[in-house]
Structures are given as structure tokens and as C-alpha cells.
Amino acid sequence: MSAASIHSTAFALILAGSACLYLASPRQSLLRVQRRKAGFFAAASLFAAWMVWRIRLESSTAFFATLAASMPLLIALPSLAALKGRK
């Protein structure tokens, strides 16, 4: 696998995992979903992103890359939900 496809796959998994992690939170106002299923899918997606990044990076580097890539998304998702609710 090329480096670009590995990074793209990891970022897609992080996007899905972060969105599901937000949807699993009890005070989210974006969608009504079952929190347990969303939380399980979030953990599985973020773990899969870490595993994909371990192909090219060291284990600790892959962990911090996953953490660093998910933080802006976890900050932006509540703001997007607030903008949706404002309309």
C-alpha cells in the first residue's frame, strides 16, 4: 500500500470514529441514535485507524497521530450542531 492510501484510510476512519463518538455522547443534539451502538462503532473505528497507521508508523506515533487528528473534529462537531440548531 502506498503512503497516501494508508493516511487517507486512517483519516476516513478517524472522521467516522469521531462522529460516532460525538453521537454517543449523552448531550449531543445532532441526531437521535442508540448511544451504545455509536460508542462501539466509535471505539472500533478509532482502533482501526490506529492499526492502519501502525503499518507505516511506530505504535506510539500512531496513537498520538490518531489522537491529534481526532481532536479538531471533536471540537468542531458540537459547533456544527449548534449552527444547525440556530436555523
Side-chain angles (χ1 to χ4, degrees):
M1 273 180 113
S2 68
S5 64
I6 289 173
H7 293 302
S8 298
T9 304
F11 279 126
L13 286 167
I14 287 172
L15 178 65
S18 296
C20 286
L21 189 64
Y22 173 70
L23 291 175
S25 67
R27 295 189 180 247
Q28 64 92 13
S29 61
L30 199 57
L31 295 174
R32 294 191 186 271
V33 295
Q34 292 181 354
R35 290 187 343 194
R36 180 172 290 179
K37 287 183 181 179
F40 176 73
F41 188 72
S45 295
L46 292 173
F47 181 72
W50 176 71
M51 292 297 287
V52 167
W53 254 331
R54 278 191 54 212
I55 295 170
R56 298 286 288 184
L57 303 173
E58 292 291 326
S59 201
S60 60
T61 307
F63 173 75
F64 286 112
T66 303
L67 189 66
S70 65
M71 283 301 137
L73 293 170
L74 293 174
I75 292 169
L77 286 171
S79 301
L80 291 173
L83 286 175
K84 179 189 174 231
R86 192 182 276 182
K87 291 181 181 179

Coordinates of all heavy atoms in Angstrom, one line a residue:
M1 N 0.8 -1.2 0.0 CA 0.0 0.0 0.0 C 0.9 1.2 0.0 O 1.9 1.3 0.7 CB -0.9 0.0 1.3 CG -2.2 -0.7 1.2 SD -3.1 -0.6 2.7 CE -4.4 0.4 2.2
S2 N 0.4 2.2 -0.7 CA 1.2 3.5 -0.7 C 0.9 4.3 0.5 O -0.1 4.1 1.2 CB 0.8 4.3 -2.0 OG -0.5 4.8 -1.9
A3 N 1.8 5.2 0.8 CA 1.6 6.0 2.0 C 0.4 6.9 1.9 O -0.3 7.1 3.0 CB 2.9 6.9 2.2
A4 N 0.0 7.4 0.8 CA -1.1 8.2 0.6 C -2.4 7.5 0.9 O -3.3 8.0 1.6 CB -1.2 8.9 -0.8
S5 N -2.5 6.2 0.5 CA -3.7 5.5 0.7 C -3.8 5.1 2.2 O -4.9 5.0 2.7 CB -3.8 4.2 -0.2 OG -2.7 3.4 0.1
I6 N -2.7 4.8 2.8 CA -2.7 4.5 4.3 C -3.2 5.7 5.1 O -4.1 5.6 6.0 CB -1.3 4.0 4.7 CG1 -1.0 2.6 4.2 CG2 -1.2 4.0 6.3 CD1 0.3 2.1 4.4
H7 N -2.7 6.9 4.8 CA -3.1 8.0 5.5 C -4.5 8.4 5.2 O -5.3 8.8 6.1 CB -2.1 9.2 5.2 CG -0.7 9.0 5.7 ND1 -0.4 8.8 7.0 CD2 0.4 9.0 5.0 CE1 0.9 8.6 7.2 NE2 1.4 8.7 6.0
S8 N -4.9 8.3 4.0 CA -6.3 8.6 3.6 C -7.3 7.6 4.3 O -8.4 8.1 4.8 CB -6.6 8.5 2.1 OG -5.8 9.4 1.5
T9 N -7.0 6.4 4.4 CA -7.8 5.4 5.1 C -7.9 5.7 6.6 O -8.9 5.7 7.2 CB -7.3 4.0 4.9 OG1 -7.2 3.7 3.5 CG2 -8.1 2.9 5.5
A10 N -6.7 6.0 7.2 CA -6.7 6.4 8.6 C -7.5 7.6 8.9 O -8.3 7.6 9.9 CB -5.3 6.5 9.1
F11 N -7.4 8.6 8.0 CA -8.2 9.8 8.3 C -9.7 9.6 8.1 O -10.5 10.1 8.8 CB -7.8 11.0 7.3 CG -6.5 11.7 7.8 CD1 -5.4 11.8 7.0 CD2 -6.5 12.2 9.1 CE1 -4.3 12.5 7.4 CE2 -5.4 12.9 9.5 CZ -4.3 13.0 8.7
A12 N -10.1 8.7 7.1 CA -11.5 8.4 7.0 C -12.0 7.7 8.2 O -13.2 7.9 8.7 CB -11.7 7.6 5.7
L13 N -11.2 6.8 8.7 CA -11.6 6.0 9.9 C -11.7 7.0 11.1 O -12.6 6.8 12.0 CB -10.7 4.9 10.2 CG -10.8 3.7 9.3 CD1 -9.6 2.8 9.4 CD2 -12.1 2.9 9.5
I14 N -10.8 7.9 11.2 CA -10.9 8.9 12.3 C -12.1 9.8 12.2 O -12.7 10.1 13.2 CB -9.6 9.7 12.4 CG1 -8.5 8.8 12.9 CG2 -9.7 10.9 13.2 CD1 -7.1 9.4 12.8
L15 N -12.4 10.2 11.0 CA -13.6 11.0 10.8 C -14.9 10.2 11.2 O -15.7 10.8 12.0 CB -13.7 11.4 9.3 CG -14.9 12.3 9.0 CD1 -14.9 13.6 9.7 CD2 -15.0 12.5 7.5
A16 N -15.0 9.0 10.8 CA -16.1 8.2 11.2 C -16.1 7.9 12.7 O -17.2 8.0 13.4 CB -16.1 6.9 10.5
G17 N -15.0 7.6 13.3 CA -14.9 7.4 14.7 C -15.2 8.6 15.6 O -15.9 8.5 16.6
S18 N -14.7 9.7 15.2 CA -15.0 11.0 15.9 C -16.5 11.3 15.8 O -17.1 11.8 16.8 CB -14.1 12.1 15.4 OG -12.8 11.8 15.6
A19 N -17.1 11.2 14.7 CA -18.5 11.5 14.5 C -19.3 10.6 15.4 O -20.3 11.0 16.0 CB -18.9 11.4 13.0
C20 N -19.0 9.3 15.4 CA -19.7 8.3 16.2 C -19.5 8.6 17.7 O -20.4 8.4 18.5 CB -19.4 6.9 15.9 SG -20.1 6.4 14.3
L21 N -18.3 9.0 18.1 CA -18.0 9.3 19.5 C -18.9 10.5 19.9 O -19.4 10.5 21.0 CB -16.5 9.6 19.6 CG -16.0 9.8 21.1 CD1 -16.2 8.5 21.8 CD2 -14.6 10.2 21.1
Y22 N -19.0 11.5 19.0 CA -19.9 12.6 19.4 C -21.3 12.2 19.5 O -22.1 12.6 20.4 CB -19.7 13.7 18.3 CG -20.7 14.8 18.5 CD1 -20.6 15.7 19.6 CD2 -21.8 15.0 17.7 CE1 -21.6 16.7 19.9 CE2 -22.8 16.0 17.9 CZ -22.6 16.8 19.0 OH -23.6 17.8 19.2
L23 N -21.8 11.3 18.5 CA -23.2 10.9 18.6 C -23.4 10.0 19.8 O -24.6 9.9 20.2 CB -23.5 10.1 17.3 CG -23.5 11.0 16.0 CD1 -23.7 10.1 14.8 CD2 -24.6 12.0 16.1
A24 N -22.4 9.4 20.3 CA -22.6 8.5 21.5 C -22.7 9.3 22.8 O -23.0 8.8 23.8 CB -21.5 7.5 21.6
S25 N -22.4 10.6 22.7 CA -22.4 11.4 24.0 C -23.8 11.7 24.4 O -24.7 11.9 23.5 CB -21.6 12.7 23.8 OG -22.3 13.6 22.8
P26 N -24.1 11.8 25.7 CA -25.5 12.0 26.1 C -26.1 13.3 25.8 O -27.3 13.4 25.7 CB -25.4 11.7 27.6 CG -24.0 12.0 28.0 CD -23.2 11.7 26.8
R27 N -25.3 14.4 25.6 CA -25.9 15.7 25.4 C -25.8 16.2 24.0 O -26.0 17.4 23.7 CB -25.2 16.7 26.3 CG -25.5 16.4 27.8 CD -25.0 17.5 28.6 NE -25.3 17.2 30.0 CZ -26.1 18.0 30.7 NH1 -26.7 19.0 30.2 NH2 -26.3 17.6 32.0
Q28 N -25.5 15.3 23.1 CA -25.4 15.7 21.7 C -26.8 16.1 21.2 O -27.8 15.5 21.6 CB -24.7 14.7 20.8 CG -25.4 13.4 20.7 CD -26.3 13.3 19.5 OE1 -26.3 14.1 18.6 NE2 -27.2 12.3 19.5
S29 N -26.9 17.0 20.2 CA -28.2 17.4 19.7 C -28.3 17.3 18.2 O -29.1 18.0 17.6 CB -28.5 18.8 20.2 OG -27.5 19.7 19.6
L30 N -27.4 16.5 17.6 CA -27.4 16.5 16.1 C -28.4 15.4 15.6 O -29.2 15.7 14.8 CB -26.0 16.1 15.7 CG -25.6 16.4 14.2 CD1 -25.8 17.9 13.9 CD2 -24.2 16.1 14.0
L31 N -28.3 14.2 16.1 CA -29.2 13.1 15.6 C -29.6 12.3 16.8 O -28.9 12.3 17.9 CB -28.4 12.2 14.7 CG -28.0 12.8 13.3 CD1 -27.2 11.7 12.6 CD2 -29.2 13.1 12.5
R32 N -30.7 11.6 16.7 CA -31.1 10.6 17.7 C -30.6 9.2 17.3 O -31.1 8.7 16.3 CB -32.6 10.7 17.9 CG -33.1 12.0 18.4 CD -34.5 11.8 18.8 NE -35.0 13.1 19.2 CZ -35.0 13.6 20.4 NH1 -34.4 12.9 21.4 NH2 -35.5 14.8 20.7
V33 N -29.6 8.7 18.0 CA -29.1 7.4 17.7 C -29.0 6.6 19.0 O -29.0 7.2 20.1 CB -27.8 7.4 16.9 CG1 -27.9 8.1 15.6 CG2 -26.7 8.1 17.8
Q34 N -28.8 5.3 18.8 CA -28.6 4.5 20.0 C -27.1 4.7 20.5 O -26.2 4.5 19.7 CB -28.9 3.0 19.7 CG -30.3 2.7 19.5 CD -30.5 1.2 19.2 OE1 -29.6 0.5 19.1 NE2 -31.8 0.9 19.1
R35 N -27.0 5.1 21.7 CA -25.6 5.5 22.2 C -24.7 4.3 22.2 O -23.5 4.5 22.0 CB -25.7 6.2 23.5 CG -26.3 7.6 23.4 CD -26.3 8.3 24.7 NE -26.0 7.5 25.9 CZ -26.2 7.9 27.1 NH1 -26.6 9.1 27.3 NH2 -25.9 7.1 28.1
R36 N -25.2 3.2 22.6 CA -24.3 2.0 22.8 C -23.7 1.6 21.4 O -22.5 1.3 21.3 CB -25.1 0.9 23.4 CG -24.2 -0.3 23.6 CD -24.9 -1.4 24.4 NE -25.0 -0.9 25.8 CZ -25.6 -1.6 26.7 NH1 -26.2 -2.7 26.5 NH2 -25.7 -1.1 28.0
K37 N -24.6 1.6 20.4 CA -24.0 1.2 19.1 C -23.1 2.2 18.5 O -22.1 1.9 18.0 CB -25.2 1.0 18.1 CG -26.0 -0.2 18.3 CD -27.1 -0.4 17.3 CE -27.9 -1.7 17.5 NZ -29.0 -1.8 16.6
A38 N -23.4 3.5 18.7 CA -22.5 4.5 18.3 C -21.1 4.5 19.0 O -20.1 4.7 18.4 CB -23.1 5.9 18.4
G39 N -21.2 4.2 20.3 CA -20.0 4.2 21.1 C -19.1 3.0 20.7 O -17.9 3.1 20.6
F40 N -19.7 1.9 20.4 CA -19.0 0.7 20.0 C -18.4 0.9 18.6 O -17.2 0.6 18.4 CB -19.9 -0.5 19.9 CG -19.2 -1.8 19.3 CD1 -18.3 -2.5 20.1 CD2 -19.5 -2.2 18.0 CE1 -17.7 -3.6 19.6 CE2 -18.9 -3.3 17.5 CZ -17.9 -4.0 18.3
F41 N -19.1 1.5 17.7 CA -18.6 1.8 16.3 C -17.4 2.9 16.4 O -16.5 2.8 15.7 CB -19.7 2.3 15.4 CG -19.2 2.4 14.0 CD1 -19.0 1.3 13.2 CD2 -19.0 3.6 13.4 CE1 -18.5 1.4 11.9 CE2 -18.6 3.8 12.1 CZ -18.3 2.6 11.4
A42 N -17.6 3.8 17.3 CA -16.5 4.8 17.5 C -15.2 4.2 18.0 O -14.1 4.5 17.5 CB -17.0 5.9 18.5
A43 N -15.3 3.3 19.0 CA -14.1 2.6 19.5 C -13.5 1.8 18.4 O -12.3 1.7 18.3 CB -14.5 1.8 20.7
A44 N -14.3 1.0 17.7 CA -13.8 0.2 16.6 C -13.1 1.0 15.5 O -12.1 0.6 15.0 CB -14.9 -0.7 16.1
S45 N -13.7 2.1 15.1 CA -13.1 2.9 14.1 C -11.8 3.6 14.5 O -10.9 3.6 13.7 CB -14.1 4.0 13.6 OG -15.3 3.4 13.1
L46 N -11.8 4.1 15.7 CA -10.5 4.7 16.2 C -9.4 3.7 16.4 O -8.3 3.9 16.1 CB -10.8 5.5 17.4 CG -11.7 6.7 17.3 CD1 -12.0 7.4 18.6 CD2 -11.0 7.7 16.3
F47 N -9.8 2.5 16.8 CA -8.8 1.4 17.0 C -8.3 1.0 15.6 O -7.1 0.7 15.4 CB -9.4 0.2 17.7 CG -8.5 -0.9 17.9 CD1 -7.4 -0.8 18.8 CD2 -8.6 -2.1 17.2 CE1 -6.5 -1.8 19.0 CE2 -7.7 -3.1 17.3 CZ -6.7 -3.0 18.2
A48 N -9.2 0.9 14.6 CA -8.8 0.5 13.3 C -7.9 1.6 12.6 O -7.0 1.2 11.9 CB -10.1 0.3 12.4
A49 N -8.2 2.8 12.9 CA -7.3 3.9 12.4 C -5.9 3.8 13.0 O -4.9 3.9 12.3 CB -7.9 5.3 12.7
W50 N -5.9 3.5 14.3 CA -4.5 3.3 14.9 C -3.8 2.1 14.3 O -2.6 2.1 14.0 CB -4.7 3.1 16.4 CG -3.5 2.7 17.1 CD1 -2.4 3.6 17.4 CD2 -3.1 1.5 17.7 NE1 -1.5 2.9 18.1 CE2 -1.9 1.6 18.3 CE3 -3.8 0.2 17.8 CZ2 -1.2 0.6 19.0 CZ3 -3.1 -0.8 18.5 CH2 -1.9 -0.6 19.0
M51 N -4.6 1.0 14.0 CA -4.0 -0.2 13.4 C -3.5 0.1 12.0 O -2.4 -0.4 11.6 CB -5.0 -1.4 13.4 CG -5.3 -1.9 14.8 SD -3.9 -2.6 15.6 CE -3.6 -4.1 14.7
V52 N -4.2 0.9 11.2 CA -3.8 1.2 9.9 C -2.6 2.1 9.9 O -1.6 1.9 9.1 CB -5.0 2.0 9.1 CG1 -4.5 2.6 7.9 CG2 -6.1 1.0 8.8
W53 N -2.5 3.0 10.8 CA -1.3 3.9 10.9 C -0.1 3.1 11.4 O 1.0 3.5 11.2 CB -1.6 5.1 11.8 CG -1.7 6.3 11.0 CD1 -1.1 6.6 9.8 CD2 -2.5 7.5 11.3 NE1 -1.5 7.8 9.3 CE2 -2.3 8.4 10.2 CE3 -3.3 7.9 12.3 CZ2 -2.9 9.6 10.2 CZ3 -3.8 9.1 12.3 CH2 -3.7 10.0 11.2
R54 N -0.3 2.0 12.2 CA 0.8 1.2 12.6 C 1.5 0.5 11.5 O 2.7 0.1 11.6 CB 0.3 0.2 13.6 CG 0.1 0.7 15.0 CD -0.1 -0.3 16.0 NE 1.0 -1.3 16.0 CZ 0.8 -2.6 16.3 NH1 -0.4 -3.1 16.6 NH2 1.8 -3.5 16.2
I55 N 0.9 0.5 10.3 CA 1.6 -0.1 9.1 C 2.8 0.7 8.8 O 3.8 0.2 8.4 CB 0.6 -0.2 7.9 CG1 -0.5 -1.2 8.3 CG2 1.3 -0.6 6.7 CD1 -1.7 -1.2 7.2
R56 N 2.6 2.1 8.9 CA 3.7 3.0 8.4 C 4.5 3.6 9.6 O 5.6 4.1 9.4 CB 3.2 4.1 7.5 CG 2.5 3.6 6.3 CD 3.5 3.2 5.3 NE 4.2 4.4 4.7 CZ 5.1 4.3 3.8 NH1 5.4 3.1 3.2 NH2 5.7 5.4 3.4
L57 N 3.8 3.7 10.8 CA 4.4 4.4 11.9 C 4.7 3.5 13.1 O 4.2 2.4 13.1 CB 3.5 5.6 12.3 CG 3.0 6.6 11.3 CD1 2.0 7.5 11.9 CD2 4.2 7.4 10.8
E58 N 5.5 4.0 14.0 CA 5.7 3.3 15.3 C 4.3 3.3 16.0 O 3.5 4.1 15.8 CB 6.8 3.9 16.1 CG 8.1 3.8 15.5 CD 8.7 2.4 15.5 OE1 8.3 1.7 16.5 OE2 9.3 2.0 14.6
S59 N 4.2 2.4 17.0 CA 3.0 2.3 17.8 C 2.6 3.5 18.5 O 1.5 4.0 18.5 CB 3.1 1.1 18.7 OG 1.9 0.6 19.1
S60 N 3.6 4.1 19.2 CA 3.3 5.3 20.0 C 3.0 6.5 19.1 O 2.1 7.4 19.3 CB 4.4 5.7 20.9 OG 5.6 5.9 20.2
T61 N 3.7 6.6 18.0 CA 3.5 7.7 17.0 C 2.1 7.6 16.4 O 1.4 8.6 16.2 CB 4.6 7.7 15.9 OG1 5.8 7.7 16.5 CG2 4.4 8.8 15.0
A62 N 1.7 6.3 16.1 CA 0.4 6.1 15.5 C -0.7 6.5 16.5 O -1.8 7.1 16.1 CB 0.2 4.6 15.1
F63 N -0.5 6.2 17.8 CA -1.5 6.6 18.8 C -1.7 8.1 18.9 O -2.8 8.6 18.9 CB -1.1 6.0 20.2 CG -2.0 6.5 21.3 CD1 -3.2 6.0 21.4 CD2 -1.5 7.5 22.1 CE1 -4.0 6.4 22.5 CE2 -2.3 7.9 23.2 CZ -3.6 7.4 23.3
F64 N -0.5 8.8 18.9 CA -0.6 10.3 19.1 C -1.1 10.9 17.8 O -1.7 12.0 17.8 CB 0.7 10.8 19.5 CG 0.9 10.6 21.0 CD1 1.9 9.7 21.4 CD2 0.1 11.2 21.9 CE1 2.1 9.5 22.8 CE2 0.3 10.9 23.3 CZ 1.3 10.1 23.7
A65 N -0.8 10.3 16.6 CA -1.4 10.8 15.4 C -2.9 10.7 15.3 O -3.6 11.6 14.9 CB -0.7 10.1 14.2
T66 N -3.4 9.5 15.8 CA -4.8 9.3 15.9 C -5.5 10.3 16.8 O -6.5 10.9 16.5 CB -5.1 7.9 16.3 OG1 -4.5 7.0 15.4 CG2 -6.6 7.6 16.4
L67 N -4.8 10.5 18.0 CA -5.4 11.4 19.0 C -5.3 12.9 18.4 O -6.3 13.6 18.6 CB -4.5 11.3 20.2 CG -5.0 12.1 21.4 CD1 -6.3 11.5 21.9 CD2 -4.0 12.0 22.5
A68 N -4.2 13.3 17.8 CA -4.1 14.6 17.3 C -5.1 14.9 16.1 O -5.6 16.0 16.0 CB -2.7 14.9 16.8
A69 N -5.4 13.9 15.3 CA -6.3 14.1 14.2 C -7.7 14.1 14.6 O -8.6 14.7 14.0 CB -6.1 13.0 13.1
S70 N -8.0 13.4 15.7 CA -9.4 13.4 16.2 C -9.8 14.7 17.0 O -11.0 15.0 17.1 CB -9.7 12.2 17.0 OG -8.9 12.1 18.2
M71 N -8.9 15.3 17.6 CA -9.2 16.5 18.5 C -9.8 17.6 17.7 O -10.8 18.1 18.2 CB -7.9 17.0 19.2 CG -7.5 16.1 20.4 SD -8.8 16.0 21.6 CE -8.7 14.3 22.0
P72 N -9.4 18.1 16.6 CA -10.1 19.2 15.9 C -11.5 18.8 15.5 O -12.4 19.6 15.6 CB -9.3 19.4 14.6 CG -7.9 18.9 14.9 CD -8.1 17.8 15.9
L73 N -11.7 17.5 15.2 CA -13.1 17.0 14.8 C -14.0 17.1 16.1 O -15.1 17.4 16.0 CB -13.0 15.7 14.2 CG -12.3 15.6 12.9 CD1 -12.1 14.1 12.5 CD2 -13.1 16.3 11.8
L74 N -13.4 16.6 17.2 CA -14.3 16.6 18.4 C -14.6 18.0 18.9 O -15.5 18.2 19.7 CB -13.6 15.8 19.5 CG -13.5 14.3 19.2 CD1 -12.6 13.6 20.2 CD2 -14.8 13.7 19.1
I75 N -13.8 19.0 18.5 CA -14.0 20.4 18.8 C -15.1 21.0 17.9 O -16.0 21.7 18.2 CB -12.7 21.2 18.8 CG1 -11.9 20.8 20.0 CG2 -13.0 22.7 18.9 CD1 -10.5 21.3 19.9
A76 N -15.0 20.6 16.6 CA -15.8 21.2 15.6 C -17.2 20.6 15.6 O -18.2 21.3 15.2 CB -15.2 21.0 14.2
L77 N -17.4 19.4 15.9 CA -18.7 18.7 15.8 C -19.8 19.4 16.7 O -20.9 19.7 16.2 CB -18.6 17.2 16.1 CG -18.0 16.4 15.0 CD1 -17.8 15.0 15.4 CD2 -18.9 16.4 13.7
P78 N -19.5 19.7 18.0 CA -20.5 20.5 18.7 C -20.9 21.8 18.2 O -22.0 22.3 18.2 CB -19.9 20.6 20.1 CG -18.9 19.5 20.2 CD -18.4 19.3 18.8
S79 N -19.9 22.5 17.6 CA -20.1 23.8 17.0 C -21.0 23.7 15.7 O -21.9 24.5 15.5 CB -18.8 24.4 16.5 OG -18.0 24.6 17.7
L80 N -20.8 22.6 15.0 CA -21.7 22.4 13.8 C -23.1 22.0 14.2 O -24.1 22.5 13.6 CB -21.1 21.2 12.9 CG -19.8 21.5 12.2 CD1 -19.3 20.3 11.5 CD2 -20.0 22.6 11.2
A81 N -23.2 21.3 15.3 CA -24.6 21.0 15.8 C -25.3 22.3 16.4 O -26.5 22.4 16.2 CB -24.5 20.0 17.0
A82 N -24.5 23.2 17.0 CA -25.1 24.4 17.4 C -25.5 25.3 16.2 O -26.5 26.0 16.3 CB -24.1 25.2 18.3
L83 N -24.7 25.3 15.2 CA -25.1 26.1 14.0 C -26.4 25.5 13.3 O -27.2 26.2 12.8 CB -24.0 26.1 13.0 CG -22.8 27.0 13.3 CD1 -21.7 26.8 12.3 CD2 -23.2 28.4 13.4
K84 N -26.5 24.2 13.4 CA -27.7 23.5 12.8 C -28.9 23.9 13.6 O -30.0 24.1 13.1 CB -27.5 22.0 12.8 CG -28.7 21.3 12.2 CD -28.6 19.8 12.4 CE -29.9 19.2 12.0 NZ -30.4 18.3 13.0
G85 N -28.8 23.9 14.9 CA -29.9 24.3 15.8 C -30.3 25.7 15.8 O -31.4 26.1 16.1
R86 N -29.4 26.6 15.3 CA -29.7 28.0 15.3 C -30.7 28.4 14.2 O -31.4 29.4 14.2 CB -28.4 28.7 15.1 CG -28.5 30.2 15.3 CD -27.2 30.9 15.1 NE -26.4 30.8 16.3 CZ -25.2 31.4 16.4 NH1 -24.7 32.0 15.4 NH2 -24.5 31.3 17.5
K87 N -30.7 27.6 13.1 CA -31.6 27.9 11.9 C -33.0 27.8 12.2 O -33.6 27.1 12.9 CB -31.2 27.0 10.8 CG -29.8 27.4 10.2 CD -29.5 26.5 9.1 CE -28.1 26.8 8.5 NZ -27.7 26.0 7.4

